[in-house]
């Protein structure tokens, strides 16, 4: 008998062990996800991190080094807003981003609202140069109801013998969260309905896994920060929309990778109802989400997923020199202009930690009001994209504070219209507007009678009073929170870019003292 032969027994035992090991072995495909890069291509000091304020973090060189060190086959994906926010991104109108994503080998991205900031033709030029697929399943033309032809609804990526389907869903907010005139001919259809429609088509192609890229977020108090939400319970309203709503409408996706809200979800949030892992990857390319999709080697079936938000500390990841050299090519000419010192600041001008008025917002709106010669000025808080640090102020600093091409609009508003504007923008005890020339005291709900007092120079502004107001053309042409501006009188777009006005102001008015605080006061 072969079993009585010692050599044969060893051979059979080895064969059985090999069979068991091979059946238990799992194929893992790693998916690296970025979102809201906003033109931050290189590493920079993590000034916001008290423990690591001088430590370099982020950028494509660090990301490239990280993915090359990984042992698993991998895919790179992005959830939009790729270039708007730095001189390199703006001056090249996104072409620098495309070149870098091509070099790293991205497979797909979904269009973000700010990817339309230079208009549809500029976006098409980016797409024509991209070696990855640009997605947007729910973007349609108003004229004939057809999908925007330059965007694909989904793509199927073949990796390590697996078919990974990637669906892209743009945010409905895009209609008002880029300059509305740029997308007035487009319709951004319901995210949940379109996700359900397209995943039904995708399933017929029998992919091994489905990933949805979305330029919307999970909701809750997650915007603008890194958070562990793994144990959170979301309300019924929060679960019915955003990336949770998309996951449940799709019903069979392995992951929904969101963006737009600049949130970082440490290990993601697993939605038991849809069996979907929901992820977001912060902003500015300081972090990347690594999603590991696991497949049984014997059956090929998907067995599970796990995710981690990975900070791109350059001293830990290393940096790819080829990518650094590519970036140097973009920045060399830009730096000649951008690093010129134009003024100085005696203070750090930072964003608000309480969600009300901020040092940077107060300086920004004061400069607008001075340049316009107006009684008051309003700027959407989210449109102020960076802070100013104590010391020399360069042209680059102002571009990073105000990367958008918005122009200054002067108009006349009544006290009642200003009150309604503020009611529309005081939500959850925080303010979506920064203000100059006024003091606002409120308690929630702001719309209740007697819950808001508006003062100018120590005097209460009455409903019938008329004030001259300076603001931006994003808000006056339908941008989020700016509806009331359409009712104002004597509206005049000066066609002067707000950035140029900020530059003029800081050159003639170096920041020698911190702007007056306490312009927006939340009462108990």
């Amino acid at each position: 008998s072969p079993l009585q032969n010692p050599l044969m027994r060893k051979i059979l035992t080895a064969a059985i062990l090999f069979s068991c090991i091979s059946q238990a072995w799992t194929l893992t495909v790693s998916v690296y996800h970025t979102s809201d890069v906003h033109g931050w291509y290189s590493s920079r000091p993590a000034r916001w991190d008290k423990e690591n304020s001088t430590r370099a973090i982020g950028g494509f060189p660090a990301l490239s080094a990280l993915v090359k060190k990984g042992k698993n086959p991998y895919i790179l994906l992005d959830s939009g807003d790729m270039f708007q926010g730095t001189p390199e991104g703006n001056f090249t109108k996104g072409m620098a981003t495309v070149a870098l994503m091509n070099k790293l080998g991205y497979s797909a991205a979904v269009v973000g609202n700010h990817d339309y900031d230079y208009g549809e033709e500029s976006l098409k030029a980016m797409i024509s140069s991209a070696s990855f697929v640009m997605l947007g399943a729910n973007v349609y033309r108003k004229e004939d109801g057809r999908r925007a032809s330059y965007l694909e609804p989904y793509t199927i990526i073949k990796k390590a013998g697996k078919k990974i389907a990637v669906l892209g869903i743009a945010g409905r907010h895009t209609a008002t969260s880029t300059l509305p005139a740029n997308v007035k001919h487009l319709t951004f259809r319901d995210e949940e309905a379109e996700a359900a429609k397209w995943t039904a088509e995708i399933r017929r192609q029998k992919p091994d896994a489905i990933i949805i890229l979305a330029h919307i977020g999970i909701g809750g108090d997650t915007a603008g920060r890194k958070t562990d939400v793994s144990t959170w319970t979301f309300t019924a309203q929060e679960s019915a929309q955003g990336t949770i709503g998309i996951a449940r409408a799709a019903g069979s996706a392995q992951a929904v990778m969101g963006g737009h809200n600049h949130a970082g979800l440490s290990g993601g949030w697993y939605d038991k109802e849809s069996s979907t892992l929901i992820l977001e990857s912060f902003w500015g390319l300081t972090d990347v989400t690594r999603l590991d999709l696991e497949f049984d080697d014997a059956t090929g079936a998907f067995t599970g997923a796990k995710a981690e938000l990975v900070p791109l500390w350059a001293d830990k990841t290393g940096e790819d020199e080829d990518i650094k050299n590519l970036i140097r090519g973009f920045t060399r000419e830009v730096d000649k202009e951008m690093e010129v010192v134009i003024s100085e600041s005696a203070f750090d001008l930072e964003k608000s930690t309480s969600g009300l008025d901020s040092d940077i917002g107060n300086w920004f709106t004061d400069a607008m009001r001075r340049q316009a010669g107006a009684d008051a000025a309003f700027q959407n808080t989210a449109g102020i994209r960076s802070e100013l640090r104590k010391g020399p102020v360069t042209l680059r600093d102002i571009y990073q504070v105000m990367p958008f091409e918005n122009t200054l609009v002067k108009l006349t508003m009544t006290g009642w219209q200003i009150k309604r504007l503020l009611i529309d923008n005081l939500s959850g005890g925080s303010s979506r507007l920064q203000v100059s020339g006024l003091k606002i005291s409120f308690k929630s709900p702001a719309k209740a009678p007697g819950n808001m007092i508006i003062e100018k120079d120590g005097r209460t502004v009455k409903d019938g009073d008329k004030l001259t107001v300076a603001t931006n053309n994003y808000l006056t042409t339908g941008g989020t929170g700016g509806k009331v501006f359409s009712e104002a009188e004597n509206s005049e777009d000066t066609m002067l870019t707000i950035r140029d006005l900020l530059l003029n102001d800081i050159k003639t008015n170096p920041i020698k003292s911190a702007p007056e605080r306490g312009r927006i006061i939340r009462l108990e």
Side-chain angles (χ1 to χ4, degrees):
S1 169
L3 292 177
Q4 293 176 338
N5 185 318
L7 178 60
M8 289 302 296
R9 282 202 303 270
K10 289 181 181 180
I11 293 172
L12 287 170
T13 301
I16 292 167
L17 284 171
F18 178 79
S19 176
C20 292
I21 291 169
S22 65
Q23 288 179 23
W25 185 74
T26 300
L27 168 67
T28 301
V29 176
S30 294
V31 180
Y32 292 91
H33 174 254
T34 56
S35 186
D36 300 284
V37 171
H38 286 293
W40 291 95
Y41 303 142
S42 300
S43 60
R44 58 198 187 276
R47 290 173 176 164
W48 57 90
D49 187 326
K50 292 181 180 178
E51 296 179 1
N52 298 281
S53 61
T54 61
R55 193 179 176 194
I57 192 170
F60 281 115
L63 175 59
S64 180
L66 176 71
V67 300
K68 287 181 177 179
K69 288 178 181 177
K71 297 179 181 179
N72 300 325
Y74 66 87
I75 296 168
L76 280 159
L77 302 174
D78 185 85
S79 280
D81 279 5
M82 294 176 279
F83 69 88
Q84 177 67 272
T86 64
E88 289 81 5
N90 287 21
F91 281 14
T92 64
K93 294 186 177 179
M95 288 301 187
T97 303
V98 168
L100 287 161
M101 291 174 68
N102 285 348
K103 185 73 173 176
L104 265 75
Y106 273 77
S107 293
V110 68
V111 67
N113 52 301
H114 288 302
D115 298 325
Y116 279 103
D117 278 359
Y118 287 104
E120 191 177 48
E121 292 306 312
S122 181
L123 175 60
K124 288 179 181 178
M126 283 177 60
I127 293 170
S128 68
S129 298
S131 58
F132 53 92
V133 180
M134 189 74 82
L135 305 172
N138 59 327
V139 183
Y140 292 81
R141 301 190 306 183
K142 289 180 180 178
E143 180 182 26
D144 55 15
R146 294 183 179 180
R147 280 194 317 98
S149 59
Y150 51 90
L151 301 172
E152 297 295 332
Y154 65 90
T155 186
I156 293 182
I157 303 163
K158 294 180 179 178
K159 183 64 63 172
K162 297 299 173 187
K163 292 166 59 179
I164 313 295
V166 182
L167 170 67
I169 300 291
R172 279 178 291 175
H173 59 78
T174 307
T176 56
S177 56
T178 183
L179 193 64
N182 289 345
V183 292
K184 64 183 180 181
H185 60 294
L186 298 173
T187 297
F188 299 85
R189 293 187 183 173
D190 181 86
E191 297 102 340
E192 292 82 14
E194 290 290 301
K197 167 187 168 182
W198 289 104
T199 48
E201 176 176 320
I202 289 169
R203 282 195 296 270
R204 288 195 287 270
Q205 301 191 46
K206 300 186 185 309
D208 296 294
I210 300 174
I211 293 172
I212 301 176
L213 296 177
H215 196 67
I216 55 176
I218 198 171
D221 185 21
T222 59
R225 61 195 184 102
K226 289 191 273 189
T227 317
D228 181 358
V229 299
S230 59
T231 60
W232 284 25
T233 300
F234 290 91
T235 66
Q237 182 179 359
E238 290 167 342
S239 301
Q241 57 193 6
T243 46
I244 300 176
I246 284 178
R248 293 182 180 179
S252 59
Q254 274 60 53
V256 177
M257 296 177 150
H260 183 61
N261 286 344
H262 294 190
L265 308 184
S266 298
W269 189 78
Y270 182 72
D271 179 41
K272 294 179 181 178
E273 183 171 321
S274 61
S275 300
T276 302
L277 195 56
I278 296 174
L279 309 164
E280 293 182 53
S281 302
F282 206 43
W283 79 280
L285 198 56
T286 61
D287 299 71
V288 63
T289 295
R290 185 182 65 238
L291 168 69
D292 288 338
L293 300 174
E294 297 180 345
F295 302 90
D296 183 89
D297 185 56
T299 65
F302 172 77
T303 57
K306 58 184 179 181
E308 178 185 6
L309 185 66
V310 182
L312 294 171
W313 294 112
D315 57 7
K316 187 174 182 179
T317 62
E319 293 188 283
D320 187 323
E321 285 299 323
D322 287 342
I323 304 301
K324 290 179 75 172
N325 287 333
L326 183 57
I327 293 171
R328 288 188 190 106
F330 302 138
T331 59
R332 194 172 294 117
E333 293 302 315
V334 174
D335 282 347
K336 291 178 182 178
E337 285 189 63
M338 289 296 113
E339 300 310 321
V340 173
V341 175
I342 57 170
S343 189
E344 62 181 349
S345 176
F347 293 86
D348 286 336
L349 300 186
E350 299 180 333
K351 297 182 180 181
S352 170
T353 56
S354 64
L356 300 174
D357 66 298
S358 66
D359 288 341
I360 185 64
N362 293 340
W363 169 76
F364 192 112
T365 51
D366 283 351
M368 287 174 66
R369 184 163 69 95
R370 280 192 293 265
Q371 295 295 313
D375 295 321
F378 295 103
Q379 164 69 22
N380 49 309
T381 303
I384 302 174
R385 305 302 276 203
S386 189
E387 301 175 328
L388 273 181
R389 296 293 170 180
K390 179 180 178 180
V393 176
T394 66
L395 187 59
R396 177 183 292 278
D397 293 326
I398 303 303
Y399 263 84
Q400 290 176 175
V401 169
M402 183 56 182
F404 307 113
E405 306 300 318
N406 295 157
T407 55
L408 184 132
V409 178
K410 294 178 65 175
L411 31 74
T412 302
M413 299 181 74
T414 66
W416 173 236
Q417 288 169 341
I418 290 173
K419 184 178 289 185
R420 286 168 50 221
L421 172 70
L422 291 164
I423 287 170
D424 286 348
N425 286 280
L426 292 170
S427 175
S430 62
S431 178
R432 293 197 295 263
L433 287 179
Q434 298 293 295
V435 61
S436 175
L438 301 173
K439 179 180 178 181
I440 298 102
S441 304
F442 77 101
K443 57 184 176 181
S444 297
K447 64 182 179 181
N451 277 10
M452 182 188 297
I453 299 172
I454 304 172
E455 298 173 274
K456 179 166 180 58
D457 301 327
R459 184 182 68 84
T460 300
V461 176
K462 298 178 182 178
D463 288 352
D465 291 346
K466 289 190 176 182
L467 286 76
T468 56
V469 172
T471 189
N472 63 63
N473 68 327
Y474 164 74
L475 288 172
T476 61
T477 58
T480 302
K483 182 179 179 182
V484 177
F485 284 119
S486 64
E487 303 173 14
E489 299 176 355
N490 306 320
S491 181
E492 175 198 358
D493 191 331
T494 66
M495 302 307 292
L496 300 171
T497 64
I498 289 174
R499 186 192 305 115
D500 286 343
L501 295 176
L502 295 178
L503 287 167
N504 291 339
D505 195 83
I506 200 167
K507 286 176 181 177
T508 55
N509 300 292
I511 302 166
K512 297 181 179 179
S513 60
E516 180 189 2
R517 298 179 181 176
R519 303 178 185 191
I520 306 173
I521 300 172
R522 183 172 49 231
L523 303 173
E524 298 299 330

